[in-house]
Amino acid sequence: MHNLISAVMMLAACALIGNAKATSLLEHLRTLEAIKADMTSIKLEMRYSADTLPRMLPRMSGLKLKRLWTIVADKVSDTPTNELWEIIAADRSSALDIARMTDDDIAPLKSFIYDLGSSDISTQEKKIELSIAKAEEVLAARKKEITSKAKVIRTLGLLAGVAGAIIML
């Protein structure tokens, strides 16, 4: 009887671990989607609002990574863009898990932030559109990769649990 209970617990634990790892990967994908959505929202707001970034960003309620954009709004006018990125990367509460992201994942966001306030509105819009296009490319590539990895990890967790359960019995 104890072996049966142990086997069920082993199966459940391994399945949960696999599911947790897969969920973590999918959260990374949701972060990439949020970055793209926020960049698009900011571009549209810039187009229809003649306001400065420090006043425009905090007012935007639909941003998914609100803390990230609050940092940008607070620091953009008095901080060089390369230092601004370092502040963002160091901030653990920005809802942006920099450690998990590859350079390719971060490149569109970095480009977007570096281009903020760097030129006149029409040139800035074009640069931002390029950053959004890059973000779409990254998202498409990562979506396929992450989705398949998440399925594999879930399956491996379940199979490890089944193997452990069989060994326990």
Side-chain angles (χ1 to χ4, degrees):
M1 183 65 172
H2 290 291
N3 285 346
L4 181 62
I5 292 172
S6 297
V8 170
M9 289 179 66
M10 171 69 88
L11 176 66
C14 289
L16 284 174
I17 290 170
N19 195 40
K21 293 290 185 183
T23 301
S24 175
L25 275 176
L26 293 173
E27 186 61 36
H28 177 71
L29 185 61
R30 282 189 284 277
T31 301
L32 293 175
E33 290 170 341
I35 289 169
K36 181 193 163 282
D38 284 357
M39 291 188 327
T40 303
S41 296
I42 291 168
K43 181 190 92 167
L44 292 173
E45 185 69 21
M46 285 176 66
R47 182 177 290 162
Y48 297 110
S49 167
D51 220 345
T52 62
L53 283 170
R55 291 194 327 213
M56 179 184 72
L57 288 174
R59 185 179 70 229
M60 294 180 68
S61 61
L63 297 176
K64 295 176 184 348
L65 299 172
K66 191 71 170 168
R67 176 68 184 143
L68 168 71
W69 300 114
T70 301
I71 293 169
V72 171
D74 290 345
K75 306 288 184 185
V76 73
S77 57
D78 60 350
T79 306
T81 52
N82 59 338
E83 289 178 28
L84 178 60
W85 181 254
E86 297 305 319
I87 292 169
I88 291 167
D91 187 274
R92 296 282 179 213
S93 64
S94 68
L96 189 63
D97 189 1
I98 300 293
R100 170 171 285 172
M101 298 188 141
T102 65
D103 289 339
D104 290 340
D105 292 346
I106 295 172
L109 181 61
K110 268 187 173 179
S111 172
F112 182 85
I113 289 173
Y114 287 161
D115 291 338
L116 288 177
S118 65
S119 57
D120 63 273
I121 299 259
S122 63
T123 305
Q124 194 167 307
E125 274 186 21
K126 290 175 184 166
K127 288 179 176 181
I128 288 171
E129 286 173 7
L130 285 173
S131 294
I132 292 170
K134 286 180 198 173
E136 287 172 349
E137 289 173 14
V138 167
L139 184 59
R142 298 291 281 163
K143 187 177 235 173
K144 191 176 189 178
E145 175 188 339
I146 288 174
T147 304
S148 65
K149 277 185 181 178
K151 286 179 185 176
V152 167
I153 289 172
R154 276 194 183 110
T155 304
L156 284 175
L158 187 60
L159 289 176
V162 168
I166 290 171
I167 290 171
M168 295 225 155
L169 293 176

